[in-house]
């Protein structure tokens, strides 16, 4: 738990590009199934790295 807290403190909201783009930290994303097209994990909205929306 201490590692996660330290990780959160390393980047301020102003310096965190993922937070600026998506409104949450990268480690807060909940992943689900794998995309049948590219094999990458999909996020909680069903989107993946290839953009095919799994």
């Amino acid at each position: 738990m201490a590692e996660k807290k330290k990780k959160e403190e390393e980047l301020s909201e102003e310096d965190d590009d993922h937070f600026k783009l998506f409104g949450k930290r990268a480690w807060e994303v909940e992943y689900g199934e794998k995309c049948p097209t590219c094999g990458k994990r999909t996020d909680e909205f069903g989107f993946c790295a290839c953009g095919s929306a799994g």
Side-chain angles (χ1 to χ4, degrees), residues 1-48:
M1 185 72 173
E3 287 182 26
K4 186 173 184 180
K5 184 69 174 168
K6 182 180 177 189
K7 187 177 186 180
E8 290 175 8
E9 293 173 355
E10 287 178 11
L11 294 173
S12 66
E13 289 181 8
E14 295 84 22
D15 297 330
D16 188 354
D17 290 331
H18 193 279
F19 185 82
K20 289 179 193 175
L21 291 170
F22 305 110
K24 61 172 55 178
R25 307 288 185 169
W27 52 86
E28 295 174 331
V29 176
E30 296 177 22
Y31 292 98
E33 303 294 320
K34 290 194 174 195
C35 172
T37 304
C38 70
K40 303 289 183 185
R41 298 177 299 167
T42 58
D43 65 12
E44 63 257 28
F45 302 110
F47 295 107
C48 65

